[in-house]
Amino acid sequence: MSKIHAAITAVNGYVPDYILTNAELESMVDTNDEWITSRTGIKERRILKGEGLATSDMAVPAVKGLLEKRGIGADELELIIFCTSTPDMLFPATANILADKIGAVNAWGYDLQAACSGFLFGITTGAQFIESGRHKKVLVVGGDKMSSVINYTDRSTCIIFGDGCGAVLLEPNEEGLGLIDSILKTDGSGSPYLNIKGGGSLHPATHETVDLGYHYAFQEGKTVFKFAVTNMANVAAEIMERNELTASDIAWLVPHQANKRIIDATAERMGISQEKVMINIQRYGNTTSGTIPLCLWEWEKQLKKGDKLILAAFGGGFTWGSIYLTWAY
Ligand code: UT7
């Protein structure tokens, strides 16, 4: 019997309606459209507005749409891996909350936190349950309500991040299609440069931590940029090399959308031309765990069975990695 691969068999996404434009940011902090566009490639991002709405509330429409597309019920899901850095609460896991909201009564689940690389870590982890034969339907969600952890007076972070959520279904494939290889890395020495310090066991929330702004995302942009640009390109090149892929073999590069300059550098290193790179950063900014599934969702109609895709990401932790997969439908 041929090896069982874990293949993506459905994808869907959700972004909130509210559009935060560069023009609106100009009225909030000392910035301008020209700076944001030339340094990041971002023109606008989506924000989840409204009382009582959290990350799981973006996942609900994304996953309901996905189940509808695939023609299955929520009760058929066996495992939910929710990749997020902005869970609804510290616990219970957002995977549990989502399962309840969609009626996934037969699934177990957990949250996976690997910042902007979360979705790559999530589908690699989910694939193990398919390849081992343990499960036949694994839902991997990547979503973040970054607006809940952004200081909208800090121009170095508020221009970058946005809210959004995407999801894929993993199922067994015996035609050799699906996840082929992945390289994932972590380096905790990067933690001082991109983090949310407060609310954990090191700095539990107090008046003081709030006064210090520890509940906001902090980023030393220049340092992160240097690591991101080198490591994301290196890991993408490494996965091509070890799978003997040349640029002409690759149908699409699906990069994490943190900065257009990082995306361009990665594509250049791989020798991939712009028209084969999925880029929607101009409309959504950096949605952390959401960027890659949102790209797959938006490009779904252009994907063909057998297409070779390289996914690549870099994020807080530091975490980074690359996945080689073939599209299965
Ligand atoms: O997704 C997770 C991983 N994250 C990343 O990959 C992000 C990596 N970092 C970046 O994308 C970039 O570093 C940023 C977009 C965050 C910043 O761009 P930069 O080109 O590295 O700018 P910088 O921080 O070096 O700042 C350059 C100048 C500074 O002014 P001076 O000191 O040269 O006078 C900043 O004060 O730009 C200034 N600046 C701004 N000006 C207008 C910083 N932010 C802004 C702003 N508007 N929003």
Side-chain angles (χ1 to χ4, degrees), residues 121-175:
F121 283 41
I123 52 174
T124 302
T125 309
Q128 309 306 309
F129 291 95
I130 300 283
E131 289 168 11
S132 68
R134 175 79 183 256
H135 290 313
K136 295 206 160 25
K137 286 187 172 50
V138 174
L139 178 74
V140 182
V141 183
D144 276 290
K145 185 188 172 188
M146 291 306 292
S147 61
S148 66
V149 292
I150 293 301
N151 176 356
Y152 284 95
T153 65
D154 173 8
R155 68 177 182 173
S156 68
T157 51
C158 74
I159 56 138
I160 299 168
F161 292 100
D163 301 340
C165 183
V168 299
L169 185 68
L170 297 177
E171 292 186 83
N173 182 291
E174 292 190 30
E175 296 176 80

Side-chain angles (χ1 to χ4, degrees), residues 197-215:
K197 295 177 190 67
S201 56
L202 179 61
H203 299 293
T206 61
H207 287 289
E208 197 193 352
T209 64
V210 173
D211 289 345
L212 290 166
Y214 280 10
H215 53 298

Side-chain angles (χ1 to χ4, degrees), residues 31 35 39 116 155 219 221-222 256 258-259 261-262 286:
T31 191
W35 192 97
R39 296 289 179 125
C116 295
R155 68 177 182 173
Q219 174 168 253
K222 247 191 170 73
H256 170 52
N259 187 314
R261 290 182 291 145
I262 300 172
N286 182 350

Side-chain angles (χ1 to χ4, degrees), residues 86-103:
T86 52
D88 288 16
M89 298 184 248
L90 273 182
F91 75 86
T94 308
N96 299 28
I97 296 167
L98 175 67
D100 181 52
K101 286 182 174 175
I102 61 173

